[in-house]
């Protein structure tokens, strides 16, 4: 995997950081905006009064939304120094904060949080079972986890094209493990696992699965751009899973 960056350090490469954030906040042309975010917000539901932890929070965009919606506290963790700085700048003047911690190293005392969110970060983690176990251990009874990842049909294989795609290839789907991926002007390591692997990992760590969504595009977010809507309807880009700590 030479030349391929891991997780947080990938986002500390200046041109990657800039390109990622401008793409991420580009409205209709961002798949997050038209696909992932509406499903996530619907799934999060009411957050008033909740203590929220966000793993791989990036620039903490969701932190501001959740604080405005009345969550009791917001703590974001990220492995990129540049993202931690951007997140804390975005949260200045609020009670929220971001700390530099790798997802794999995170732990917290029992009942520290009521809601754990993670958006598009768990596919940077090699083994998610210990991470989900740490999440389960620090949630209050009835607490929830809601996370999104790049959809396994995409993490399975990288055609290497830098053009706008007109076709997608799914290959080696049942071969779990690292994939060097050309993305945002750099090469990063994503960890592929199947949809079943994610569901099993949640259930094995004691969560009750409450939702599985493939984040289909939301027509009302396309500003009438029917060509882009048709393109986004072709392939699932995101997988969302949610679980509750019942015990
Ligand atoms: C695709 S970005 C998503 C950021 C944010 N959640 C959002 O949706 O805007 C992935 C984030 O995960 C962070 N990340 C990746 N691997 C990580 C790890 N092992 N530990 C902590 N953060 C990690 C990156 O630094 C980056 O900020």
């Amino acid at each position: 995997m030479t030349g391929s960056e891991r997780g947080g350090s990938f986002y500390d490469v200046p041109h990657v950081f800039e390109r990622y954030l401008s793409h991420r906040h580009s409205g209709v042309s961002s798949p997050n905006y038209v696909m992932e975010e509406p499903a996530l917000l619907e799934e999060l539901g009411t957050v008033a009064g909740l203590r929220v932890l966000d793993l791989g929070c990036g620039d903490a965009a969701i932190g501001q939304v959740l604080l405005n919606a009345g969550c009791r506290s917001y703590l974001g963790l990220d492995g990129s120094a540049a993202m931690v700085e951007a997140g804390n700048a975005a949260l200045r003047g609020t009670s929220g904060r971001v700390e530099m911690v790798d997802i794999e190293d995170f732990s917290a005392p029992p009942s520290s949080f009521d809601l754990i969110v993670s958006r598009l970060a768990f596919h940077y983690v090699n083994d998610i079972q210990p991470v989900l176990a740490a999440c389960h251990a620090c949630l209050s009874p009835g607490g929830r986890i809601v996370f999104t990842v790049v959809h396994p049909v995409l993490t399975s294989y990288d055609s290497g094209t830098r053009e706008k795609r007109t076709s997608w290839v799914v290959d080696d789907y049942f071969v779990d493990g690292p994939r060097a991926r050309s993305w945002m002007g750099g090469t990063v390591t994503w960890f592929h696992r199947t949809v079943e692997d994610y569901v099993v990992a949640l259930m094995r760590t004691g969560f009750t699965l409450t939702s599985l969504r493939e984040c289909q595009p939301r027509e009302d977010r396309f500003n009438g751009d029917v060509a882009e809507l048709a393109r986004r309807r072709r392939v699932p880009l995101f997988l969302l899973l949610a679980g509750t700590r019942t015990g």
Side-chain angles (χ1 to χ4, degrees):
M1 307 294 304
T2 43
S4 176
E5 296 271 356
R6 287 290 301 276
S9 61
F10 174 68
Y11 289 85
D12 283 335
V13 178
H15 71 269
V16 169
F17 175 78
E18 276 152 35
R19 187 162 159 187
Y20 169 75
L21 282 186
S22 77
H23 183 64
R24 176 77 174 76
H25 298 298
S26 62
V28 175
S29 58
S30 161
N32 295 82
Y33 177 72
V34 293
M35 299 172 85
E36 186 251 2
E37 185 177 273
L40 181 94
L41 292 177
E42 230 170 67
E43 210 52 57
L44 291 178
T46 305
V47 298
L50 301 184
R51 297 162 300 165
V52 180
L53 171 70
D54 183 357
L55 295 176
C57 64
D59 68 346
I62 195 73
Q64 301 170 69
V65 173
L66 299 179
L67 286 162
N68 285 337
C71 76
R72 188 159 119 208
S73 61
Y74 172 88
L75 171 64
L77 304 181
D78 203 280
S80 150
M83 285 295 184
V84 170
E85 196 182 329
N88 278 319
L91 294 175
R92 198 162 295 134
T94 76
S95 61
R97 69 180 202 283
V98 175
E99 292 176 7
M100 183 145 168
V101 177
D102 279 340
I103 292 170
E104 296 87 336
D105 298 336
F106 148 78
S107 70
S111 284
S112 299
F113 301 101
D114 308 303
L115 173 64
I116 297 179
V117 184
S118 181
R119 300 178 73 182
L120 301 165
F122 281 176
H123 55 281
Y124 291 92
V125 173
N126 185 8
D127 186 0
I128 55 159
Q129 199 146 313
V131 173
L132 291 173
C135 290
H136 191 269
C138 74
L139 275 171
S140 52
R144 295 182 291 142
I145 183 166
V146 181
F147 68 89
T148 58
V149 287
V150 171
H151 199 293
V153 299
L154 291 193
T155 57
S156 72
Y157 178 79
D158 181 14
S159 66
T161 180
R162 287 164 202 274
E163 308 297 317
K164 255 194 176 183
R165 273 161 222 261
T166 54
S167 63
W168 287 260
V169 175
V170 178
D171 201 357
D172 291 330
Y173 184 77
F174 293 106
V175 183
D176 285 1
R179 305 283 200 271
R181 184 85 185 200
S182 307
W183 199 63
M184 295 288 154
T187 306
V188 67
T189 302
W190 286 355
F191 289 90
H192 169 71
R193 54 198 138 245
T194 65
V195 173
E196 182 176 328
D197 291 335
Y198 280 111
V199 171
V200 167
L202 254 187
M203 292 183 358
R204 282 212 181 122
T205 47
F207 284 103
T208 301
L209 180 71
T210 52
S211 187
L212 184 160
R213 303 174 65 149
E214 291 177 301
C215 304
Q216 61 175 284
R218 287 277 289 267
E219 198 167 349
D220 56 322
R221 290 207 165 201
F222 282 83
N223 290 341
D225 188 339
V226 288
E228 188 67 359
L229 173 61
R231 182 175 125 80
R232 293 302 185 198
R233 279 188 167 146
R234 296 189 61 203
V235 172
L237 302 185
F238 305 108
L239 175 70
L240 179 154
L241 289 167
T244 303
R245 178 183 170 143
T246 39

